[in-house]
Amino acid sequence: YRMLETIRQYAQEKLWAAGEGEGLHERHLAYFVDLAERAEPNLRSFDMVKWLDRLETEIENIRVALAWSLESNVEAQLRLASALLSFWHIRGHKQEGIDWLAQGLSIDQTERGDQPILPRRAMIRGKALNAIAVLEAELLIGNPVERLEESRVLFEALGPAGKHGLAYALFRLADWSSDADRKKVMLEESLALLHEVGDKFGIAECLMVLASSARDQGHYEQVRAIDKEHLALRKEI
C-alpha cells in the first residue's frame, strides 16, 4: 500500500490513540522473526537468491521490527538479527548487521545484570555472538575472538543442547588461532559435532578452515584430500 507521508503519519497517530499500536507492532515483529528464521537455512541452498531478494524487498519492514524490538523484546531482536547473518554478509549490509547485533547484545547484558543467564537466553546470545563475530571478522573490526570465546563458554555450559552452536564457535576460533596443535583439536571437535547434528553447510565451512590449516603447515596431499571432500559437499548443498 502506498500513501502520502502526511496521511501515513495521521493514520499512525489514530492507531496509537485507539490503543492498537503496540499490538500491531508485536504482530509485525513476530511475522518478521518467523520469516527470517524460515529464510535462514534457505540462504545456504539452491534457492538462496530467491530468499535474498525477498528479504531485500522487506528490508524497511525488517528495520522497523529490529528497532521496535530493541525497546520491547530483545530476545526477538537478537533472533531476528542473527537469523539474517547470511543476508547481512552476502548483500553487503555487514556494518548494519553488526550495529543491530551490538545494540541487542548490549541491552541483553544490561537487562540481565549480575543474574545467571537462563538456557534459552544463553542459546540466543551465543548465536548472536557467533553472528557478530563473523561480520566483524569480515570487516577486520571489533574483537571477534572475544565474541567467539564468550559464545563457546555459553554453548559448552548448555551441554548436548549447545553442541550445534559450540561447533560453529570452535571452527571459527580455530580460524583465528596461531597455535597449530590447539587449532587441530578445535577443528576435529567441531567436525565431529557437526557430523553428529548433520549440518552439511557447517561441515563444509569447517573443512574449508581445516584445508587452510593444513596448507599453512605444508601438508599439501592432505589439503587435496580435504578439498576433494569439501567440493563434493558444496556441490551437494
Side-chain angles (χ1 to χ4, degrees):
Y1 295 92
R2 296 178 183 275
M3 64 178 73
L4 289 171
E5 177 63 14
T6 49
I7 301 298
R8 190 196 68 80
Q9 290 174 5
Y10 176 75
Q12 188 174 49
E13 286 177 10
K14 289 296 183 182
L15 185 73
W16 281 96
E20 296 178 12
E22 187 171 345
L24 188 63
H25 264 296
E26 287 172 358
R27 294 196 299 277
H28 182 271
L29 171 61
Y31 175 86
F32 283 99
V33 170
D34 177 69
L35 175 64
E37 291 182 339
R38 283 190 293 115
E40 187 175 12
N42 292 293
L43 299 179
R44 306 178 299 204
S45 71
F46 287 114
D47 287 335
M48 65 184 292
V49 175
K50 180 180 78 175
W51 282 92
L52 287 166
D53 287 346
R54 183 171 179 186
L55 292 171
E56 194 76 62
T57 300
E58 297 286 8
I59 188 65
E60 292 302 332
N61 272 313
I62 289 168
R63 286 168 177 155
V64 168
L66 285 164
W68 167 258
S69 54
L70 280 175
E71 300 177 8
S72 62
N73 186 341
V74 74
E75 280 194 11
Q77 195 271 354
L78 288 173
R79 283 173 60 195
L80 177 53
S82 300
L84 293 170
L85 169 60
S86 294
F87 172 72
W88 301 132
H89 171 66
I90 296 168
R91 284 294 168 93
H93 301 296
K94 296 183 184 71
Q95 186 60 61
E96 181 174 1
I98 290 169
D99 291 343
W100 287 120
L101 286 159
Q103 289 179 79
L105 286 165
S106 176
I107 290 169
D108 172 61
Q109 183 68 56
T110 302
E111 282 187 1
R112 194 171 72 255
D114 297 328
Q115 298 300 311
I117 190 166
L118 297 174
R120 171 184 166 81
R121 196 75 160 233
M123 192 77 77
I124 292 169
R125 183 175 179 84
K127 184 178 177 181
L129 287 162
N130 257 329
I132 195 172
V134 170
L135 297 172
E136 287 181 337
E138 286 290 325
L139 296 183
L140 299 176
I141 61 173
N143 195 335
V145 174
E146 188 176 297
R147 307 277 199 190
L148 291 169
E149 283 289 0
E150 184 185 346
S151 177
R152 179 186 63 79
V153 170
L154 287 171
F155 284 124
E156 281 183 343
L158 288 168
K163 66 174 67 172
H164 199 181
L166 176 60
Y168 275 82
L170 285 171
F171 80 70
R172 286 167 177 160
L173 273 170
D175 202 20
W176 284 87
S177 177
S178 56
D179 183 329
D181 292 335
R182 182 169 182 262
K183 177 178 282 198
K184 184 172 183 291
V185 168
M186 286 193 290
L187 288 171
E188 287 174 351
E189 184 180 351
S190 176
L191 201 55
L193 289 169
L194 290 163
H195 277 290
E196 208 174 316
V197 299
D199 182 349
K200 291 180 181 180
F201 177 80
I203 292 167
E205 293 285 285
C206 189
L207 287 172
M208 187 163 59
V209 180
L210 198 59
S212 175
S213 177
R215 186 165 52 251
D216 290 344
Q217 296 172 62
H219 300 159
Y220 300 118
E221 287 302 319
Q222 187 181 352
V223 172
R224 274 189 280 270
I226 295 169
D227 278 344
K228 186 176 180 180
E229 181 184 355
H230 182 204
L231 178 59
L233 193 53
R234 292 289 188 187
K235 286 181 176 180
E236 185 182 341
I237 293 168

